[in-house]
Amino acid sequence: MNKNNYALIMAGGVGSRFWPVSRTEYPKQFIDFFGVGKTLIQSTYERFLKICPAENIFIVTNEIYTNIIKEQLPDISDNQILAEPIMRNTAPCVSYGSTKIAQLNPDATIVVAPSDHTITDQEAFIAAIEQSLKAASENDCLITLGIKPSRPDTGYGYIQYTEDCLPTDDQIHKVKIFTEKPNLDLAKSFIQSGDFLWNAGIFIWSAKAINKSFSVHLPEMHEIFQQGSAAYNTDSESEFIGAAYQQCINISIDFGIMEKAQNVYVLPADFGWSDLGTWASIYDIAEHDYVGNAVIPAEKVMMFNSSNCMVNVPEDKLVILQGLHDYIVVESNNTLLICPRSEEQSIKQVVADVKSKFGTKYI
């Protein structure tokens, strides 16, 4: 295993679309959605153990989740947990992690990945990451993984690529343009063109290349984190980061770096990926009965004349559904949500309304 390979796992989101199961104090990355005995972050961590030495895997998260990380990943040292004092989107966390790792190993090659994605073809995923790590170590480039689309999905961002490739790898293509979530007609045209991929939000680069890109495209942020050179991997790191984040703008790595840099490449891949962004994505992956119901757990849920429902309830709860079709039924944290599957995009607004009426008790 290459000692220069590092992983930075992003685990700071709140997953509001999975409310009420996912809540601010215990969000989706720490939940076992499929009843397999592993939470999403535990599964992600185990994937990267096959790519990086254990001591080279770092978790960046909000400081309020530090104890959950220690509980779910007991082999992680305190120095491998990058605790953010406030939420500032993904660019600051990548700059923080990349600068810290570069202090440990200037020759590091880093994969940055969310903690809450699912991968069904583990071998294909590992092969794609290792191929990208090798290419990133040999070239001054920023690589992202693009998923070969299976449908004109309007919930994903898209990447258009050209025929130009890296000199050392003719499977990794130059990125032409990033496009945010399109409407259906545009998504259909993307699929038909054959040169668009879903943006998986998984990035691979050398520490040198990404820090150079920050110096060019987000120079103020780069300078903020460079000022802590003497503090990284010491007892002073937390105090420095507390002050640094107060100075950072709120911006994503996609908008701040990837959409601006000229040395961005993409590896088309297919490894059974889902970003688990909505209950629909859980429904798509979960096992279904003969009339399309996905029930987790299924022991005490009885369905009568009901079909195509997504049901997630406590395992000791007896639930009977009669005459319900195409609904989401979720209970957790003393809260019951019943919502048509076609209207699940309204859940974020529901959460906002609940917060407005009852405060943070149920959020």
Side-chain angles (χ1 to χ4, degrees), residues 51-320:
I51 297 168
C52 310
E55 63 271 19
N56 289 7
I57 301 176
F58 291 81
I59 314 294
V60 58
T61 188
N62 190 282
E63 61 185 14
I64 65 175
Y65 304 135
T66 298
N67 288 334
I68 304 177
I69 296 284
K70 292 179 178 179
E71 175 186 323
Q72 296 202 358
L73 303 176
D75 294 334
I76 289 281
S77 71
D78 288 351
N79 192 50
Q80 291 171 265
I81 302 175
L82 284 62
E84 297 180 292
I86 50 178
M87 293 182 181
R88 282 291 187 264
N89 216 313
T90 53
C93 83
V94 171
S95 186
Y96 172 20
S98 299
T99 308
K100 175 183 171 76
I101 290 171
Q103 289 291 317
L104 290 169
N105 183 353
D107 296 321
T109 309
I110 307 166
V111 52
V112 179
S115 60
D116 51 7
H117 291 183
T118 61
I119 307 295
T120 58
D121 189 340
Q122 304 290 331
E123 291 185 2
F125 174 79
I126 292 168
I129 295 294
E130 290 182 337
Q131 178 181 353
S132 300
L133 284 166
K134 182 177 185 297
S137 70
E138 298 169 342
N139 299 271
D140 177 19
C141 64
L142 310 177
I143 300 173
T144 184
L145 297 187
I147 306 301
K148 296 174 182 176
S150 59
R151 60 187 182 277
D153 199 304
T154 60
Y156 296 138
Y158 285 75
I159 302 169
Q160 185 180 24
Y161 62 92
T162 72
E163 291 301 314
D164 296 333
C165 298
L166 281 174
T168 61
D169 193 320
D170 61 6
Q171 294 181 324
I172 301 180
H173 294 259
K174 188 84 164 58
V175 169
K176 183 175 182 179
I177 193 171
F178 289 88
T179 302
E180 293 302 311
K181 299 174 183 178
N183 60 37
L184 184 58
D185 288 341
L186 193 55
K188 287 179 178 178
S189 70
F190 288 171
I191 301 301
Q192 291 171 355
S193 72
D195 57 356
F196 279 84
L197 304 164
W198 287 337
N199 187 354
I202 301 172
F203 310 106
I204 303 95
W205 40 53
S206 68
K208 292 184 178 74
I210 188 59
N211 287 326
K212 177 182 175 182
S213 291
F214 269 99
S215 71
V216 173
H217 301 292
L218 290 173
E220 293 181 358
M221 186 177 295
H222 176 71
E223 180 62 24
I224 289 168
F225 287 105
Q226 287 296 315
Q227 290 172 358
S229 297
Y232 291 116
N233 307 298
T234 73
D235 293 339
S236 302
E237 182 174 327
S238 179
E239 181 181 358
F240 165 73
I241 290 301
Y245 265 72
Q246 298 297 331
Q247 304 173 61
C248 288
I249 60 173
N250 188 323
I251 189 170
S252 70
I253 190 68
D254 298 78
F255 185 72
I257 300 291
M258 302 301 284
E259 295 182 15
K260 298 175 180 177
Q262 299 300 308
N263 59 336
V264 179
Y265 289 78
V266 63
L267 174 63
D270 186 5
F271 39 71
W273 168 86
S274 173
D275 70 344
L276 293 190
T278 62
W279 282 110
S281 58
I282 297 286
Y283 177 83
D284 289 341
I285 296 172
E287 292 186 8
H288 302 79
D289 65 15
Y290 70 100
V291 287
N293 296 309
V295 183
I296 308 170
E299 285 77 7
K300 292 187 177 180
V301 177
M302 302 177 68
M303 311 283 286
F304 299 96
N305 187 31
S306 298
S307 64
N308 302 318
C309 291
M310 174 71 242
V311 184
N312 187 298
V313 294
E315 60 183 14
D316 60 347
K317 173 76 69 171
L318 174 62
V319 176
I320 295 94

Side-chain angles (χ1 to χ4, degrees), residues 20-21 279 311-314 317-319 329-337:
V21 173
W279 282 110
V311 184
N312 187 298
V313 294
K317 173 76 69 171
L318 174 62
V319 176
V329 180
V330 182
E331 182 182 353
S332 184
N333 303 304
N334 201 31
T335 304
L336 173 65
L337 171 72

